Amino acid sequence: MAEPRLPLWSVSVRALALQASFTYERFQGAGFAVAMLPVLRRVWPDRRDLAEATRRHMDYFNTNPVMCTYVLGAAARLEAEVAAGRTPVEIARGFKASVGGPVAALGDRFLWGTVRPAATALGLAVALRWPLAGVLVMLAGYNVPHLWLRVRGMRQGAALGPSSIRDITGTRFGRLSQRAADVCAAACGLLAGLAATQAVRPAGTVHVTGAIWLIFAVLSGLLFARRRLSPTQLGLVGCALGLLVALLGGPRGV
Amino acid sequence: MTEGLSPGAILGVAAAGGALLALDAAPLAQTLVSQPLPAAVLTGLVLRCGAAAAPIGIALQALWTSLLPLGGSLIPDSGPATVGAVAAAALLLADPTTAPWAVPVGMAVAFAGGVAGAHTVMWGRRANHGLVRAAEAQVVQGDVAAVERAHVAALGLAAARGAAVALVLAVAGWGLGLALSRATGETAASLAAAATAWILPAGVGVMVAAAVLRARRAAWWAVAGVVIGAGVAWRG
């Protein structure tokens, strides 16, 4: 019997909402089942088999929400093989349970740890002078690799099955990740250089606020690096300090 | 700056923006539109208060970029918090007596709201638990569409939560600005603005530290970036 053509486009679109029904018990489990439903409906014509397969995919699952397309594509292919009787269901279940963690580690490091901060630093550097252009730079800088990975993951997963994971565990992706970390550091440095020089040199002369700017930047970086204060704590302290200074230093009539 | 927009219209924009950006943060697509810089600049564009919105977005973005959404970790609810803060700033800008408070109050509201909003995200995820459990029981009975309905309901819940957070923050910020302008003089607003201005260098310092900590050999790239950035700014 000819294998049914898998509705991968529907799975890709549904994968965008993988985390909609996120819970602390199953994490992305329900979202994974919803994304897989177009494939499950295609390969399991029997109502009882379909219900059993859907429930099976609702179990605990957690990975990087962008790289999840690698797992979804491979799981879709495996599900078709399980339905055709060529692969035991335990293989499909074991694959899903074993790849979530490693794919999450690679995806989080690459996307959250390097691509996102690099795009943000470049966007902020532009936004210091042109806010709207900065937003466009930031969104393009992140979403081009983001969407490319989603599409590539689904294609590779469906074409190669479980071995598609080698696409991101191989040395090529490791090198790409290292390059992205270098670009991220350079982009953050660029932002620091631009912002600091603008503060240090208002109207062409060194200004006292510039020195204070640099002291705050270095001090905050050190406090963060030594885990004394989180970025949110730094922001809250800053705002509380601002309001306190205002209330103490500028009562009505001053 | 906010000519032609009534408080009702500003609050309407806050609710709609909060709902949309709460979806982008984690439940749907994660395109980064819900990050502070895009959220502030785009909301400022709609509310015609871009000059006040940009510094709020830039400072928040610099400081919050280093917080990573790993696993089930709770990070600040940046989208709805930023929209609420910019809406509060727009409401304060409409009155010349409260206008000087727009940026410092907007920043304070965004930081406090981001932290408080993160706890509402946790409640939402707990509510999802009930939805998924109920759907599973129906799936076992043969109704597989139940999990899709639960999924859509969870999306609706996230949007409603985001709208509520943004609305509450806009009204709270407006009230705080009014109270501060009545209790203090104009000098106080300038002092507050000056004191909150240190958030941007703090954020930039944290961003550089985080980038170098992630990949220590990248420190030289960071130094090269600083030199190029300084050169560009010095010449420009």
Side-chain angles (χ1 to χ4, degrees):
Chain A
M1 195 177 80
E3 262 189 38
R5 194 156 179 266
L6 299 176
L8 297 174
W9 176 245
S10 297
V11 178
S12 302
V13 171
R14 284 168 177 240
L16 291 168
L18 183 80
Q19 304 196 111
S21 50
F22 190 100
T23 74
Y24 288 115
E25 187 193 30
R26 300 167 193 221
F27 284 63
Q28 301 157 344
F32 197 94
V34 170
M36 283 289 286
L37 261 177
V39 169
L40 300 180
R41 286 188 172 118
R42 184 71 56 92
V43 302
W44 296 108
D46 181 77
R47 194 165 169 261
R48 205 176 303 168
D49 292 338
L50 173 63
E52 166 49 31
T54 306
R55 212 230 57 77
R56 171 161 47 86
H57 281 293
M58 287 177 76
D59 282 342
Y60 167 86
F61 180 74
N62 191 39
T63 196
N64 178 278
V66 176
M67 298 283 207
C68 73
T69 52
Y70 278 92
V71 187
L72 277 166
R77 184 185 159 121
L78 278 175
E79 200 63 40
E81 290 179 6
V82 171
R86 290 201 306 273
T87 302
V89 71
E90 287 75 23
I91 298 283
R93 203 194 292 265
F95 163 73
K96 214 181 115 183
S98 61
V99 296
V103 172
L106 290 162
D108 288 349
R109 183 178 152 77
F110 181 66
L111 281 156
W112 303 152
T114 53
V115 176
R116 195 178 88 160
T120 303
L122 289 174
L124 277 172
V126 176
L128 289 173
R129 186 167 285 190
W130 303 287
L132 190 58
V135 168
L136 296 177
V137 167
M138 178 177 163
L139 293 180
Y142 174 74
N143 284 304
V144 169
H146 161 212
L147 294 174
W148 177 77
L149 268 170
R150 277 187 183 274
V151 173
R152 182 176 171 87
M154 185 58 67
R155 279 188 182 161
Q156 294 282 96
L160 304 173
S163 57
S164 65
I165 304 300
R166 285 190 204 133
D167 195 38
I168 46 176
T169 54
T171 50
R172 205 170 124 227
F173 190 79
R175 275 202 298 273
L176 182 69
S177 200
Q178 184 58 57
R179 293 285 164 273
D182 294 343
V183 171
C184 174
C188 290
L190 183 81
L191 169 66
L194 271 173
T197 309
Q198 280 182 7
V200 168
R201 192 182 170 239
T205 52
V206 174
H207 197 266
V208 68
T209 54
I212 296 171
W213 198 103
L214 284 173
I215 290 168
F216 275 138
V218 173
L219 202 66
S220 306
L222 287 173
L223 277 172
F224 172 77
R226 290 174 183 272
R227 309 270 177 218
R228 295 271 164 88
L229 277 179
S230 77
T232 304
Q233 284 169 330
L234 280 167
L236 285 171
V237 168
C239 289
L241 200 72
L243 293 178
L244 191 70
V245 165
L247 286 171
L248 292 177
R252 182 165 275 290
V254 172
Chain B
M1 270 185 198
T2 53
E3 303 93 352
L5 287 177
S6 66
I10 293 173
L11 292 175
V13 169
L20 282 173
L21 299 187
L23 290 179
D24 179 74
L28 196 65
Q30 303 102 36
T31 60
L32 296 199
V33 180
S34 56
Q35 286 290 298
L37 177 65
V41 172
L42 297 177
T43 309
L45 209 65
V46 176
L47 295 179
R48 302 176 210 163
C49 62
I56 295 174
I58 289 171
L60 284 168
Q61 186 67 63
L63 212 45
W64 277 345
T65 297
S66 310
L67 296 171
L68 307 178
L70 303 176
S73 61
L74 265 189
I75 54 165
D77 190 22
S78 61
T82 310
V83 170
V86 173
L91 288 163
L92 292 172
L93 283 168
D95 179 351
T97 59
T98 56
W101 284 100
V103 173
V105 164
M107 270 191 204
V109 163
F111 274 111
V115 176
H119 290 280
T120 66
V121 171
M122 203 159 68
W123 297 336
R125 287 173 175 179
R126 286 188 186 137
N128 288 348
H129 178 72
L131 288 171
V132 171
R133 272 287 174 89
E136 187 179 30
Q138 290 172 282
V139 167
V140 171
Q141 300 295 317
D143 179 13
V144 294
V147 69
E148 291 173 311
R149 291 195 297 272
H151 209 59
V152 172
L155 280 172
L157 201 65
R161 186 198 61 75
V165 168
L167 264 180
V168 167
L169 291 178
V171 173
W174 192 16
L176 178 65
L178 281 170
L180 284 167
S181 69
R182 280 181 193 151
T184 61
E186 266 189 35
T187 324
S190 311
L191 281 169
T196 48
W198 77 281
I199 291 171
L200 176 61
V204 172
V206 168
M207 279 181 79
V208 174
V212 174
L213 278 176
R214 252 176 245 127
R216 283 179 191 271
R217 64 159 229 150
W220 290 109
W221 287 96
V223 172
V226 169
V227 172
I228 294 169
V232 169
W234 199 263
R235 283 178 67 89

